[in-house]
Amino acid sequence: MAIAAIAALGGALFGYDTGVVSGALPFMEQHFGLTSFGEGVITSALLIGAAFGSLAGGRMSDALGRRNSLLWAGAVFIGGAVAVALAPTVAFMTVARFVLGLAVGSASVITPLYLSEIAPAHIRGRLVSFNSLMIVSGQLLAYLVNAVLAHWEAWRWMLGLAALPAVALFLGVLFLPDTPRWYISRGRRDEAAAVLRRTLPADDVPDELHRIEQARNLESDAQRGAWQELQLPWVRRLLLVGIGLAIVQQITGVNAVIYFAPKILATTGLGTNAAITATIAVGAVSVVATAIGMSLIDRVGRRPMLLWGLSGMTVSLALLGAAFHLPHSTAVSYLVLALMVLYMGFMQATLNTGVWLLLAEMFPLKVRGLAMGAAVFVMWLVNFGVALCFPMLLDAVGAAVTFWLFSAMCVLSLVFCKRYAPETKGLALEDLEHELRRSAEGAAPSTAVADTAATRTGTDTGTGTVTDAASTTGGHAVGGTVGGTAGDTTGETTGNTAGSGGRGRTGGN
């Protein structure tokens, strides 16, 4: 758990640097004389940097290792935070936030990737979701700092304090190992075994090493590079589904609330300092909801949580839009806040937790860093678009129509997730990869799933271990959803054969 805590500081920095702008923006608007477009540019500069950082992070993590890549991100976090705090002009601020975004984007890929590869299978869902908890905790810390410093309009201190956890991340990562899977990919078996002994019972280490090596050998035998691997139909379908999930996470409005909560509340007549303070409720509920999501994700599964969460988000956003038609008053301000909190509760407990976890688990080893980087790149691009347009949309059509649009996006996202989202709960990364590959290549589907489901001990409760029998099975929901539906979409028969596999395994402001 100490390893996870240090690595997840990247998630906390991700959260702080994306959440702190909500409190700093009203004072930056006064200081620099910003228009709605200027607010969008400064806010979204970090996000376009994060988009490119996510691409770099995926490739860098494959080439240099997950640990060394986290070190790089920590160093850029430090420099970026200092530069943003000292920015003398809008242009300098925009460039500095772009640089800071490079670190945020790379950390958004590398941290969940690191956690997914170093965690034992039976707690992988909760451990990777711990990164989501650290993201929202970083956001809550930003809101608390904003509320305290708002009394002095000390927006530079709000931004600059991010350097402190960045230093902690850099120093902490110096003492971390890389992941067993990355060591195996570089032929460093002894180091992989040493890391596994820190996370698994000694008797389980040989079997886990064999499983990782077997998956790696399959990749080596294919004689393809990562880009060529992405041309395989089953890998390409997984990538397209991952990109779709990344888009779903952003077009449903979460970051509009995170970045602009005080601005939204100000449209109801609430004062600047009161709005910044009230935003603490959004951060606090996000932390609690993410903790609840962590406790459920390995028991309930990924798909059900996505579907229930999107349903709740649709309703809460529709009600939020309606609330803006009420006459301005303090009571209406707090009604809007309550509906924002309700929406964030659904979002953080289900969609945010589930999407980050799925992206960390659903890609094969050889392309995991590249594919996750590509999906997160698209996520940040959509995030950029939402952040750039939201202030102008708010001014052009009003808050009511804006949030009704987000509610409509939730309906479309619900349809997408119901049709395409995979269920990956329960198996080791290598077992899932093996089953997806075997199914896509036309082998007989695994028949051991039903027989061995009863032999799994504790996986669904997150407290036990997975038996050897269960560890050799595949995944019904993964194959059926990703392979079958993607095959329907593309018209390729390999998509339908990919739909015959087994049940799945587990694998941001």
Side-chain angles (χ1 to χ4, degrees):
M1 197 62 182
I3 293 175
I6 293 171
L9 276 173
L13 282 162
F14 172 175
Y16 187 93
D17 284 318
T18 50
V20 72
V21 73
S22 68
L25 204 55
F27 304 114
M28 292 165 63
E29 181 181 359
Q30 298 171 17
H31 183 85
F32 292 120
L34 297 175
T35 62
S36 292
F37 178 72
E39 292 180 63
V41 167
I42 284 182
T43 302
S44 60
L46 181 142
L47 308 175
I48 195 67
F52 289 101
S54 66
L55 279 184
R59 294 294 287 172
M60 184 168 57
S61 69
D62 287 340
L64 303 180
R66 291 27 169 166
R67 173 187 174 274
N68 289 336
S69 299
L70 278 174
L71 278 174
W72 177 91
V76 178
F77 268 125
I78 295 169
V82 173
V84 166
L86 298 177
T89 65
V90 172
F92 190 98
M93 171 68 74
T94 302
V95 173
R97 280 183 58 80
F98 174 84
V99 172
L100 186 59
L102 294 175
V104 171
S106 59
S108 72
V109 174
I110 301 163
T111 301
L113 190 60
Y114 182 92
L115 293 173
S116 72
E117 291 189 352
I118 208 163
H122 66 284
I123 62 167
R124 183 174 293 113
R126 283 174 294 156
L127 202 56
V128 176
S129 298
F130 181 62
N131 182 56
S132 296
L133 181 63
M134 292 295 284
I135 291 172
V136 294
S137 297
Q139 290 167 356
L140 176 58
L141 177 61
Y143 297 151
L144 290 168
V145 169
N146 289 347
V148 171
L149 296 180
H151 296 289
W152 296 278
E153 300 185 6
W155 60 271
R156 293 187 184 275
W157 282 99
M158 296 176 187
L159 300 172
L161 285 174
L164 296 180
V167 170
L169 172 66
F170 185 85
L171 295 177
V173 171
L174 291 174
F175 299 96
L176 294 186
D178 217 309
T179 70
R181 287 158 182 85
W182 188 79
Y183 282 134
I184 288 292
S185 74
R186 292 299 182 268
R188 296 157 66 174
R189 193 177 193 277
D190 291 344
E191 291 165 278
V195 176
L196 288 173
R197 282 192 286 271
R198 296 173 63 172
T199 59
L200 292 174
D203 292 343
D204 294 343
V205 169
D207 289 341
E208 184 67 11
L209 274 175
H210 175 71
R211 186 179 296 115
I212 296 170
E213 289 175 325
Q214 187 177 42
R216 180 60 189 171
N217 288 337
L218 284 173
E219 300 292 350
S220 298
D221 290 344
Q223 296 294 311
R224 294 182 176 94
W227 286 105
Q228 287 74 25
E229 192 84 356
L230 285 173
Q231 300 306 308
L232 293 173
W234 70 278
V235 177
R236 189 168 63 247
R237 292 189 186 94
L238 283 177
L239 177 60
L240 291 175
V241 171
I243 288 173
L245 290 171
I247 294 172
V248 162
Q249 192 200 49
Q250 294 303 316
I251 63 171
T252 48
V254 59
N255 285 314
V257 174
I258 289 169
Y259 303 146
F260 299 106
K263 184 179 179 71
I264 295 167
L265 291 171
T267 65
T268 67
L270 208 59
T272 298
N273 283 6
I276 290 173
T277 302
T279 305
I280 294 173
V282 174
V285 168
S286 294
V287 171
V288 173
T290 301
I292 293 171
M294 286 175 60
S295 70
L296 296 175
I297 194 76
D298 281 331
R299 288 180 286 178
V300 176
R302 285 67 164 146
R303 271 178 61 85
M305 291 187 69
L306 294 182
L307 300 180
W308 281 106
L310 283 165
S311 300
M313 290 161 61
T314 300
V315 174
S316 56
L317 284 170
L319 292 175
L320 180 58
F324 284 100
H325 283 291
L326 299 174
H328 287 182
S329 68
T330 302
V332 170
S333 296
Y334 285 104
L335 173 62
V336 167
L337 176 63
L339 290 169
M340 287 167 59
V341 163
L342 178 64
Y343 160 75
M344 290 298 289
F346 280 116
M347 171 68 193
Q348 300 290 13
T350 59
L351 191 66
N352 192 49
T353 302
V355 168
W356 281 115
L357 181 54
L358 282 169
L359 293 180
E361 347 175 272
M362 63 188 290
F363 301 118
L365 173 64
K366 192 169 186 179
V367 298
R368 191 170 298 149
L370 175 62
M372 186 176 178
V376 176
F377 174 75
V378 174
M379 180 188 292
W380 283 113
L381 284 182
V382 179
N383 191 348
F384 165 77
V386 171
L388 181 63
C389 296
F390 181 80
M392 294 181 286
L393 193 61
L394 207 60
D395 288 345
V397 301
V401 173
T402 300
F403 283 105
W404 283 337
L405 286 173
F406 284 136
S407 182
M409 292 299 101
C410 285
V411 173
L412 295 177
S413 298
L414 181 61
V415 173
F416 174 85
C417 288
K418 185 173 178 60
R419 183 167 175 81
Y420 295 109
E423 177 58 77
T424 59
K425 162 181 114 162
L427 291 182
L429 294 170
E430 292 70 37
D431 297 329
L432 176 61
E433 178 178 342
H434 174 72
E435 285 298 317
L436 286 171
R437 177 188 289 275
R438 186 172 67 167
S439 297
E441 291 174 349
S446 172
T447 59
V449 177
D451 296 337
T452 60
T455 68
R456 301 176 61 83
T457 57
T459 297
D460 289 341
T461 62
T463 57
T465 57
V466 183
T467 65
D468 291 339
S471 69
T472 63
T473 64
H476 290 302
V478 174
T481 305
V482 176
T485 58
D488 295 338
T489 302
T490 62
E492 297 180 44
T493 57
T494 49
N496 293 317
T497 59
S500 60
R503 163 94 180 174
R505 72 102 215 131
T506 79
N509 172 354

